[in-house]
Structure formats: structure tokens, C-alpha cells
Amino acid sequence: MSITKLAPFAVLFSAAVLASPAHAVPATGPSRYLAGSDLFGLEWASDPQISPDGRTIAYVRQSNDIMTDKARPTIWRVDVATGQQRPLIAGAGSYFSPRWSPDGTRLAYVAAEGASPQLYVRWMASGESARITGLPDSPGGLAWSPDGRRIAYSMLVPDDAPKLGSAPPKPDGAKWADPLQVIDRVTYRFDAAGYLKPGYRQIFWVPADGGAPTQLTFGPTNAGGEVSWAPDSRSIVFSADLSPNWQREPLQSEIYRISIDGGAPVALTSRDGPDNAPAVSPDGRSVAWVGFDDKHLGYQNRRLSVMNMDGSNKRVLTSSLDRSVSSPAWSGDGRSIYVQVEDRGVNKVERVGLDGSVREVASDMGFGELDRPYAGGDFSVSRNGVVAFTSGDPSHPNQVAVASGSGGRRLTHLSSSLLDSKVLGQVQKFPVSSQYDHRPIDAWMVTPPDFDPARKYPMILEIHGGPYSAYGPQFSSDDQLYAAHGYVVVYSNPRGSTSYGEDFANQIEKAYPGHDYDDLMSVVDAAIATGHVDPGNLFVTGGSGGGVLTSWIVGKTDRFRAAAAQKPVIDWASWGLTADIAGFSSPYWFAKRPWEDPMAYWQRSPLSLVGNVKTPTLVVVGSEDYRTPVSEAEQYYEALQLRGIPTMLVKVPGASHETLTDRPSQSAAKASAILSWFDRYRTDKGMPAAASNEGASLPAAH
């Protein structure tokens, strides 16, 4: 394989860099194919909240603003019967977290209009809104009391930063350096939040018509989170880890009950493991929640349980369901509980009876992440059993849909005017059997627009992160841009993926990367066997856990012509001491700490294989990534440079791990950079029509 060496320096990409992939011809008119500039025209739905009577849905409508290069959330209203919708709360700010009052006459929401976000209430009959709070920080976890008189929320309560010594006295008018930053927390920075402000999240309630907030929880622990009210509106239940060792217990939490008049929280659970998302039954006699007994495995299903309001008579309802559940919500009659269930790459809403029976209510839930096809979604339930949920498919991002026992029905058609005018890549599932143990592996193929089954195309293997997560048949802007550029895109759920049960996920228990590599190579072989893939033009990329596997793959084989490792972990020991979730390193992903068993960390680190790499490899990372810190990407880039392997380092300015593609211009530019890198090493230089126009090019930044 002929390899062109690159100049030994890192490149910081903006939207203008690599704006047009190799071989692209400037467009003379509107393109039939999806282009980077089209990302600004996408709209999608999240957080659909159905009114108590089941007639109206308030949801958050996200749209990309080309002038600010950001997604802007507004709140819209949809009539369930007719599907008619109109903006409910919109303006120059950001508006989110809509929550109906118990009688459906008011809507609470959070608005950010320049200053810190505040809690507002809208009176639906008059259309008037009033600001209820004047808070120093953003409120979260909004929950109305059943009598409609109060709203609970959580918020960061500032605390004094730790001090160590003191600087000398500063003369009046002097301009000195900032004071020392003293840190004493285990987790002192977090992805997308940066370095954490000193303080703790606490729970409050405020009168629904305004007034002074009442703080319910106190102390040097984080109590803030989703809460559920008792029917008498005199107490709430919440989830937290209030133990003295909370900083070193990443998965430990209990369910607590506390009176709105104050007093100490009373623990209702006491097991070793996470107990989350409490929901009080309509009659106030029971509490539903999700969690598990922690066995220190890399993955365990969250199971639905119920108990009496005093914590007695605990029982698991989904012990026979080998799937993880979340977001419990009681039916209006209190006889069953709605939950979200992961199943084979698709999230569903299912109704669980108090006898443990399970019935599917809605499927094909869409997720709010546009760039890659992750499974996920949101839902809510009315008193009469109408379910509002996000619904997506490979050709459209999240829509608002409803289900009421007679099948699902979409109410919105966001982005349709844009996407229906494009020729998109078609997504099809294809069968794969792992070469390691013949285990079936779910995989999907995205074919280029105007696909010709008689020809062979270059292929991109795109790998999901996690590793405990799942892809599914959902819309993906990255995959569509790759396909529009003339590539077949293949993605899959190798062992370790969620939604296939505990055993499948734990096939990589304390052994990741491992035989998931064999699964991925089997996916590649199966894709080639379809006759649509050129085996001499294979490429690989993935982010986070997919970045780990990308860098692992090029250390194990040179069958790929080029690779792009996005936000990878390269050295598990350094990651385990610099990541914002360092507590998960051990005992969940490794049996011991790095200094106790360094070889276990090294043997599973892609850096241990860097001496084998022959594949030209691009490295991509956000400049403010604290989940897989920038140093991981930088050391891999430097190792490849020292070995003389063609490489470049792409940093996305201002982006964290979770926000790598949040800015539309950066999302488009990142995809274009990867395509331009792969184009350097393609041997089929004659590109299909889909790539020979603006459909594969990007706008310059201004």
C-alpha cells in the first residue's frame, strides 16, 4: 500500500478547512443530496409532555440558527386530535422543560433570556406568563404538587471554595493574577460543564404563583434530581447518595422521603446499588423506582421495583425481563406502570402490570442526537393512558407521536420539507454471524443515494461509543453525509452493546476491547459478501468507545485504507486518573486500580498496539473534552507521528465530549474532514454522481 507522509504538525480545523471533499465540483443549483449546509435546516422534537386530559402535548422544538451556529429550543403546542400545532413559548431566548399543572390549566417551564435561567408559569386560558423565581442558577427537575400549589425543583447551592494559605495583601488599584484555584473534590470537572463551581445541588419548592423558595435538603452532598410528590402534597420522594463516602460511590443511591415542612430525609431503600427515578402511585400507597443490586459488573439491567410508601414490601416487577428499563410513570388507575425499555437497538414504551406482565405500547422511539443513530427517546403519559413519545426513523429525526392502545400516530413532520426533497441513503438491516462464536450480531447498511446494486462502493465502518450503548434504525447526519459522498456506511451492535440482555452486554466484562473486535470484522466480511462493497476500499471510524475500537482495530489489522479515531481512550491507566468519571475505572471496567495491576490496563490499551499500526489515522477530539480527555487523543497523535504513520490531529474548538457536534458548522466540518481524509487514500477516484456536487461540500465559515 502506497502511503503519503504528512507534515508533522497538528491542524486545528474550522468550518472552512477542508470545506470541499476531494473531487467535488461546485454546485450550480439546489442539490438533490444532503450537504453540510443542510444541517442548519434541521428541526427535531424532544421532551413531549402530554396534558392530564390527553388532549394537548407541549414539546421542545429544536432548530438550528445559522446566525448563532447553535440549536435554539422553543416550546410548541400540538393538538392530539387534529395534529395542528403552534408556537407556545418562543422568543430570543431558550425555552425548555415544559411541565403541566395537575389540572392542565397552567404550564411551568424554564426560560433563559440573557441572565441565569428562571422558572416561569403560563396560564393557558389567558396566555399570560409570569416569572416565578429569581435564582442564581438554573432550576432542574421541575415537578408540580398534586394540589397545584407548589413546584419542586433542584438547584446548585454555592459553597465556599476550599482555601490553603493566602496571598500577600494587594495594594489598592493593583492588577494581580487570579487567586489560586484549590480543589479537594474527587470529581472536580465534568464534561460539558467544565470545572465545577463549589457547591451542592439541593431540592427546593416554590409557590406556583410566586414567592420565596423553601430549601428542603442541606449538607455537603448532592440531593438534587427528579422528585415525585405524595398525593397529599405534603411530602416528596427523591433519589440521592447522602452517605459520607458519596464521592467515591459512582453508582450508589437510595430513595428518600422528606416532608415539605422540613426535617431529615428518611431512607426508603438500603441496598448496595443505584435506586433512581422514584414515582409515587396515584393513591399514595406505593413507590415505583428502577435500579439493581450492584455486582460491580460493567453492565447490569435496571429493573423496575415497587414498595410501600414506608419502604416495606419491596418487590421486583421485571425480574423475568432481560432488558433495562427507565422512566417509570404510573397509569391513572394505579394498576400498572409505564416504562421505557431498550430492545434490540430500539427503545419502546411498555406497560408493566403489578403482577409483572409486560405489554408493548409504543415502539420506534427516536433519540435527540442527530449525528449518529443511537437508540433512546422521551415519553409521558396522561391520566387516561394516552402516551406521547418521540418517534424517529432513518429518514427523519425525532417527531412527536401518540399511542393509546390502537397503534402509534405521528403528529409532527419536522424537517420533512428539507429531507423529503433530498435523495437520502437508504438504511437496511443485514444478517451477521460472529466469526468468534457464531453469535448473531445486528447490523445496518446505509447505501449511497442513487444506489446501483451492480457496482461496488468504498465502505465506512462506523462504530458506536459507550461501549454500553446501542445503535438502531435512526436518522444520522454523519452517516447520511458519508453516504452522499459515495460511501456505503455500515454500523452494528457488537457484543457489549445494550438492548440485547445482560449476558450479551457482559461478553466484554473486564475484557474490552476483546471479542467485539471479532464481531466488527464479521460485520465487514458480511457487508463485503452482499456484493455492494469494494474490499480494497475499506475505512473505519467511531467516537468515544468507537474511537477506542477504531484505534484498536488499526493496531490489529491493516485491511483498512484509512481510519479516523474520534475522542478515543488510548491508555486506560491515564484515562482512569484524568476522566470526569474516573470512579468507573475500577471496579466496573477493571478489577483493580491502575497502580495495583498496571499490565491489565496496558494490555487493553490501544497504545500498546501502536507499534503495529500501518494505517493512516486521523485523530479527532473536542478541545474541552473531559470524558475522554484531550491528552488521550494527543498522545496517540504524537505516537503515530513519531512512528512516521500518516496522521493529523483535528481539534473542535470549544467542544466537549458530549457537544462535539452540537454546533452545526462544526458537525458539518468534522464530517467533511473525515471524508477528505478518507478520500486521500481511496483508490476508486471516480466518484458517483452523489458526490460530484454540492451534496458533499460545505459552506465556508464567515
Side-chain angles (χ1 to χ4, degrees):
M1 183 185 303
S2 175
I3 297 176
T4 302
K5 292 191 176 182
L6 305 178
F9 54 82
V11 177
L12 191 67
F13 281 86
S14 70
V17 178
L18 299 178
S20 297
H23 321 296
V25 177
T28 58
S31 171
R32 298 173 59 236
Y33 309 104
L34 191 72
S37 56
D38 291 321
L39 300 190
F40 288 99
L42 293 177
E43 292 186 297
W44 63 101
S46 64
D47 198 10
Q49 295 294 313
I50 194 163
S51 60
D53 62 9
R55 297 179 179 179
T56 308
I57 298 170
Y59 77 95
V60 177
R61 180 167 172 169
Q62 303 267 10
S63 57
N64 286 326
D65 187 334
I66 197 169
M67 301 308 294
T68 63
D69 195 20
K70 292 181 180 179
R72 188 171 63 90
T74 54
I75 299 175
W76 285 60
R77 177 179 183 173
V78 187
D79 183 270
V80 171
T82 66
Q84 292 183 344
Q85 63 170 318
R86 61 183 177 85
L88 189 61
I89 303 159
S94 297
Y95 308 91
F96 49 94
S97 298
R99 296 295 182 269
W100 292 97
S101 64
D103 61 5
T105 63
R106 291 164 291 168
L107 188 76
Y109 62 96
V110 177
E113 297 177 322
S116 61
Q118 301 296 329
L119 172 61
Y120 286 73
V121 169
R122 181 185 180 92
W123 277 256
M124 301 303 292
S126 67
E128 297 293 329
S129 291
R131 194 180 78 174
I132 303 301
T133 61
L135 305 175
D137 212 308
S138 178
L142 308 186
W144 285 84
S145 64
D147 62 10
R149 296 172 57 193
R150 303 172 181 87
I151 302 173
Y153 62 91
S154 64
M155 186 188 70
L156 178 72
V157 176
D159 194 22
D160 291 334
K163 294 181 173 56
L164 195 63
S166 61
K170 184 172 72 171
D172 291 342
K175 295 182 179 180
W176 284 17
D178 292 336
L180 302 182
Q181 185 179 15
V182 180
I183 296 170
D184 64 357
R185 296 279 189 92
V186 173
T187 300
Y188 56 91
R189 59 184 183 178
F190 206 76
D191 194 68
Y195 280 77
L196 300 177
K197 300 175 184 177
Y200 305 91
R201 292 199 71 85
Q202 306 293 358
I203 296 173
F204 298 77
W205 66 262
V206 64
D209 55 359
T214 297
Q215 184 173 341
L216 294 182
T217 59
F218 301 85
T221 55
N222 289 303
E226 296 289 339
V227 307
S228 181
W229 287 84
D232 63 3
S233 300
R234 302 304 304 172
S235 64
I236 64 172
V237 294
F238 65 96
S239 173
D241 184 357
L242 303 183
S243 73
N245 198 41
W246 64 272
Q247 294 195 67
R248 295 169 182 83
E249 299 174 334
L251 286 185
Q252 180 64 28
S253 59
E254 308 294 351
I255 305 297
Y256 292 89
R257 181 178 182 177
I258 191 170
S259 168
I260 66 168
D261 297 322
V266 176
L268 304 181
T269 60
S270 59
R271 66 177 169 185
D272 181 11
D275 293 305
N276 303 120
V280 180
S281 63
D283 62 9
R285 296 180 180 178
S286 304
V287 179
W289 83 101
V290 298
F292 54 80
D293 293 294
D294 193 359
K295 299 176 183 177
H296 294 165
L297 299 174
Y299 176 79
Q300 290 183 246
N301 284 332
R302 296 182 301 274
R303 303 191 186 280
L304 176 67
S305 297
V306 294
M307 61 182 165
N308 294 342
M309 191 61 164
D310 62 1
S312 62
N313 193 26
K314 297 178 178 68
R315 57 199 187 280
V316 179
L317 297 184
T318 58
S319 57
S320 62
L321 178 65
D322 188 19
R323 295 292 185 269
S324 197
V325 305
S326 61
S327 308
W330 286 87
S331 62
D333 60 13
R335 296 180 180 179
S336 58
I337 303 162
Y338 294 85
V339 293
Q340 188 163 323
V341 179
E342 295 181 307
D343 185 31
R344 303 186 68 82
V346 175
N347 275 31
K348 305 175 179 180
V349 179
E350 298 192 343
R351 184 169 177 165
V352 181
L354 296 181
D355 60 355
S357 60
V358 179
R359 181 173 66 87
E360 182 179 312
V361 177
S363 186
D364 297 324
M365 297 182 71
F367 195 40
E369 196 163 317
L370 292 182
D371 62 320
R372 291 179 290 165
Y374 280 108
D378 305 313
F379 82 96
S380 62
V381 187
S382 70
R383 287 201 186 102
N384 56 355
V386 181
V387 176
F389 64 101
T390 53
S391 176
D393 62 53
S395 299
H396 300 89
N398 271 5
Q399 309 296 324
V400 177
V402 292
S404 57
S406 58
R409 176 169 55 96
R410 287 190 183 176
L411 300 179
T412 63
H413 304 281
L414 307 179
S415 299
S416 291
S417 59
L418 168 66
L419 296 176
D420 291 353
S421 68
K422 303 290 182 179
V423 183
L424 297 178
Q426 297 300 300
V427 179
Q428 294 182 335
K429 195 172 184 179
F430 66 99
V432 177
S433 177
S434 175
Q435 63 189 22
Y436 171 65
D437 57 6
H438 306 293
R439 189 180 300 266
I441 303 297
D442 278 353
W444 292 264
M445 176 180 288
V446 187
T447 53
D450 300 327
F451 173 66
D452 179 1
R455 63 164 303 197
K456 297 183 186 294
Y457 294 83
M459 190 202 81
I460 296 175
L461 173 65
E462 206 278 307
I463 310 170
H464 74 63
Y468 300 107
S469 63
Y471 275 167
Q474 301 292 341
F475 179 81
S476 164
S477 60
D478 274 4
D479 292 349
Q480 290 294 339
L481 289 172
Y482 298 157
H485 201 70
Y487 288 84
V488 161
V489 184
V490 169
Y491 62 87
S492 66
N493 287 331
R495 69 191 64 214
S497 301
T498 57
S499 77
Y500 299 88
E502 284 191 351
D503 178 70
F504 187 84
N506 283 316
Q507 288 294 309
I508 61 169
E509 163 64 15
K510 308 294 190 294
Y512 164 73
H515 292 301
D516 40 359
Y517 166 83
D518 299 305
D519 296 346
L520 292 168
M521 294 305 99
S522 301
V523 168
V524 173
D525 292 338
I528 294 172
T530 66
H532 306 318
V533 171
D534 177 0
N537 277 294
L538 304 178
F539 302 86
V540 59
T541 187
S544 192
V548 174
L549 284 165
T550 297
S551 50
W552 186 261
I553 284 170
V554 296
K556 301 276 284 186
T557 180
D558 59 358
R559 70 184 302 189
F560 295 91
R561 295 199 62 82
Q566 303 178 54
K567 47 189 179 181
V569 173
I570 298 304
D571 184 340
W572 285 111
S574 60
W575 175 84
L577 297 174
T578 57
D580 63 344
I581 55 170
F584 283 92
S585 168
S586 169
Y588 296 102
W589 289 5
F590 291 84
K592 298 180 180 180
R593 299 292 187 189
W595 55 89
E596 296 172 335
D597 190 1
M599 287 307 298
Y601 284 75
W602 179 249
Q603 289 166 355
R604 288 163 53 188
S605 295
L607 190 59
S608 71
L609 301 177
V610 74
N612 301 333
V613 177
K614 300 177 183 177
T615 306
T617 301
L618 185 71
V619 187
V620 182
V621 70
S623 67
E624 297 180 11
D625 190 327
Y626 295 131
R627 182 63 44 82
T628 56
V630 179
S631 57
E632 293 294 309
E634 289 176 337
Q635 61 181 308
Y636 195 55
Y637 163 77
E638 195 63 39
L640 293 171
Q641 282 286 5
L642 292 173
R643 287 206 58 240
I645 304 301
T647 185
M648 277 185 167
L649 175 64
V650 173
K651 282 189 175 180
V652 182
S656 70
H657 192 83
E658 296 297 331
T659 65
L660 186 69
T661 56
D662 275 12
R663 308 293 291 269
S665 72
Q666 292 180 334
S667 181
K670 187 214 71 167
S672 180
I674 291 171
L675 287 169
S676 293
W677 181 257
F678 290 169
D679 283 350
R680 292 178 180 220
Y681 301 98
R682 284 176 65 164
T683 59
D684 65 324
K685 298 304 183 180
M687 300 186 59
S692 60
N693 55 61
E694 196 270 338
S697 66
L698 302 173
H702 297 285

